Amino acid sequence: MTPAAAISMLDRQLAAHGERVRLQRLTLGPAGIQVPFSVRCRAFVRGFEPEELVGGIKQTDSKVILSPTEIMRKAWPGPAIGQQPPGQDRRIPVKDDRVFIKGKPRNVDAATGIYLNGVLVRIEMRVIG
């Protein structure tokens, strides 16, 4: 499977079965002022299964799966300097970015990018709150 095919398949599934969320990061604007930069995305949002409740994961946490399509289209997280360590993909959310699910703000606790042949094809996050 090619990266483009994997992204296309995920986008179709998100369009058919996902829900609308808003991903937000506070970026540094002029004079060091924090400016929120957001992107609306389709996402799969689900709780964790009982056997997944290990390593600090709680029943109230959620797993959120995103496609990179809308993130790249919007150039999220914007032009300001991101919070990632050097060499980390800026498109991947970081701890304390926010996801608004059904209008409720939730904090990103952890996120990872899934790559196929070096291309970002999927983002998985654990959100809390």
Side-chain angles (χ1 to χ4, degrees):
M1 176 180 295
T2 67
I7 293 169
S8 180
M9 187 167 47
L10 178 58
D11 287 344
R12 281 193 307 277
Q13 290 299 313
L14 287 169
H17 307 290
E19 63 183 271
R20 186 60 81 189
V21 300
R22 183 167 50 98
L23 185 60
Q24 181 185 72
R25 174 173 297 164
L26 294 177
T27 61
L28 293 177
I33 297 171
Q34 286 191 330
V35 177
F37 195 89
S38 299
V39 60
R40 294 190 184 280
C41 304
R42 302 277 309 167
F44 292 128
V45 180
R46 69 165 183 84
F48 287 90
E49 298 294 326
E51 62 272 8
E52 295 176 298
L53 300 177
V54 296
I57 297 175
K58 300 178 186 140
Q59 250 181 335
T60 55
D61 297 348
S62 296
K63 184 174 191 174
V64 178
I65 297 172
L66 304 171
S67 166
T69 300
E70 291 162 312
I71 289 170
M72 292 188 302
R73 185 178 301 133
K74 181 77 176 196
W76 189 85
I81 297 169
Q83 300 165 340
Q84 280 91 345
Q88 187 172 336
D89 191 334
R90 284 178 37 102
R91 299 168 297 178
I92 307 299
V94 295
K95 187 172 177 64
D96 295 328
D97 282 344
R98 293 182 133 193
V99 180
F100 291 79
I101 302 168
K102 295 180 175 59
K104 179 183 176 192
R106 312 269 313 267
N107 288 331
V108 173
D109 188 59
T112 189
I114 308 298
Y115 296 84
L116 184 59
N117 293 332
V119 176
L120 179 64
V121 297
R122 174 181 173 132
I123 297 167
E124 296 186 3
M125 302 183 296
R126 179 176 141 208
V127 298
I128 58 176

